Amino acid sequence: MDIALIGNPNTGKTSLFNNLTGSYEYVGNWSGVTVEKKVGILKNQRDQLIDLPGVYTLNPLSKDEGVVTIFFLNEPFDMLLNILDASQLRRNLHLTIQLLEFGAPIVIGLNMVDVAGNRGIKIDSRNLSACLGVPVVPVVARTGKGCDSLAEMISAEAGQPDIAFEVDYGPAVEKATAALKEKLAGRTKIPARWLAIQFLEGNQYVREFLLNFIGGSELNELLEFVETQLKTDGVKETLEQYMYRKRSEAIETVVARSMVRTEGAGTPLS
Ligand code: GDP
Ligand code: K
Ligand code: MG
């Protein structure tokens, strides 16, 4: 299996990578950028772990961040290992939801549970798992705590059916998704809904990918359709802001069900 390790910057990706793989790793560069590409072999001596650059969202701000979208569009992989910082759950879930929307098998490593605990935040990993529909394993990547359980969960999840978590982005977005799906007519294996969401949010790499199948003017019409619909519905934000807000609303529900403030908590939740 090829497993892609993905998470926000500074969530403990390198620590987790080192814990899950032996010392062996291949180091190169992702094509077109000077970002290191690391591939390690899991301790089962069978599966490969691919380290992706840390990003907050799949909609890239920089060329380096674009590496992740390019990977999703072009490289086959079997599973995603998404590492979350338990002390920054709200922020981290933006990426997680975009990964869930892709529909690939995914296991979540809930890292920094010690940091969260010190700040009076406890995440109920079973509730989080139930909300998202995927396994969540608490770990402390710095010490290796929980990493064996995580490795076991990765093996257990191999070949499980894909689950696509669905944020309700409203009827205009769903209509655009249906239209895009029809235009693509099965000519790509990348899920149409994920492509639609990323395209509507302004992901330029996804736009370029879609141009392989669909004309630029047709794509612009699709954008205009959604923008006009939203305006008619009284939405004042840009499409990008609207998509972000809808995702944030879904995240609030997940956070409300899975985050518990423990006694003596003094720090505001983040
Ligand atoms: P990356 O930027 O995502 O690759 O994250 P790193 O693995 O480099 O970790 C960032 C920092 O957080 C380092 O100082 C790690 O030692 C520390 N760290 C990683 N995991 C944990 C954890 O679970 N608990 C604590 N307290 N620190 C951690
Ligand atoms: K770092
Ligand atoms: Mg790192």
Side-chain angles (χ1 to χ4, degrees):
M1 272 205 301
D2 286 330
I3 304 157
L5 175 60
I6 182 162
N8 287 12
N10 290 314
T11 50
K13 270 188 290 58
T14 299
S15 309
L16 187 64
F17 184 93
N18 292 340
N19 262 300
L20 291 176
T21 61
S23 53
Y24 175 83
E25 62 192 58
Y26 166 78
V27 181
N29 271 352
W30 291 97
S31 71
V33 293
T34 54
V35 182
E36 239 181 23
K37 180 177 182 180
K38 288 194 301 177
V39 180
I41 310 289
L42 287 197
K43 286 174 180 164
N44 64 14
Q45 299 297 325
R46 201 178 52 229
D47 303 321
Q48 289 205 104
L49 192 62
I50 304 150
D51 190 25
L52 288 168
V55 288
Y56 293 107
T57 167
L58 290 182
N59 187 6
L61 294 170
S62 68
K63 218 177 158 193
D64 286 2
E65 291 187 4
V67 162
V68 180
T69 292
I70 292 168
F71 176 86
F72 272 70
L73 291 170
N74 299 301
E75 309 237 0
F77 61 90
D78 303 292
M79 183 181 284
L80 292 168
L81 173 54
N82 177 209
I83 179 166
L84 296 187
D85 176 346
S87 71
Q88 311 264 359
L89 187 64
R90 211 174 245 113
R91 185 211 268 174
N92 279 236
L93 283 174
H94 277 276
L95 178 64
T96 301
I97 287 181
Q98 294 177 73
L99 304 181
L100 292 170
E101 285 168 342
F102 194 83
I106 171 168
V107 170
I108 290 176
L110 183 65
N111 195 34
M112 307 271 188
V113 287
D114 58 330
V115 178
N118 290 340
R119 291 173 51 188
I121 301 163
K122 190 179 179 309
I123 310 298
D124 186 324
S125 58
R126 285 161 77 177
N127 281 359
L128 184 59
S129 170
C131 285
L132 300 176
V134 297
V136 177
V137 181
V139 293
V140 179
R142 187 151 77 176
T143 63
K145 194 178 165 194
C147 288
D148 288 346
S149 308
L150 182 59
E152 278 169 29
M153 188 57 86
I154 289 167
S155 296
E157 271 302 291
Q160 290 295 306
D162 303 355
I163 293 158
F165 179 89
E166 295 211 344
V167 171
D168 180 8
Y169 292 103
V173 172
E174 298 312 330
K175 275 185 198 156
T177 298
L180 193 68
K181 196 169 187 171
E182 208 174 294
K183 289 176 198 294
L184 289 170
R187 281 182 292 166
T188 171
K189 283 184 187 148
I190 314 286
R193 191 164 188 275
W194 182 85
L195 288 168
I197 292 164
Q198 289 296 319
F199 168 66
L200 294 175
E201 209 165 336
N203 189 326
Q204 288 306 307
Y205 292 94
V206 168
R207 184 188 172 87
E208 276 167 39
F209 176 81
L210 289 173
L211 285 171
N212 291 316
F213 311 101
I214 301 165
S217 57
E218 271 185 276
L219 285 178
N220 290 343
E221 276 168 27
L222 212 56
L223 266 184
E224 279 160 27
F225 164 77
V226 177
E227 280 169 344
T228 306
Q229 282 288 304
L230 293 180
K231 245 185 219 134
T232 309
D233 295 343
V235 174
K236 301 265 190 304
E237 307 146 298
T238 64
L239 186 48
E240 190 179 343
Q241 290 167 334
Y242 170 82
M243 300 294 285
Y244 184 86
R245 175 168 61 83
K246 286 292 176 187
R247 192 181 298 127
S248 300
E249 287 170 9
I251 288 172
E252 284 314 311
T253 309
V254 175
V255 168
R257 289 189 191 154
S258 53
M259 195 192 280
V260 185
R261 264 189 105 167
T262 52
E263 228 174 292
T267 337
L269 303 183
S270 53

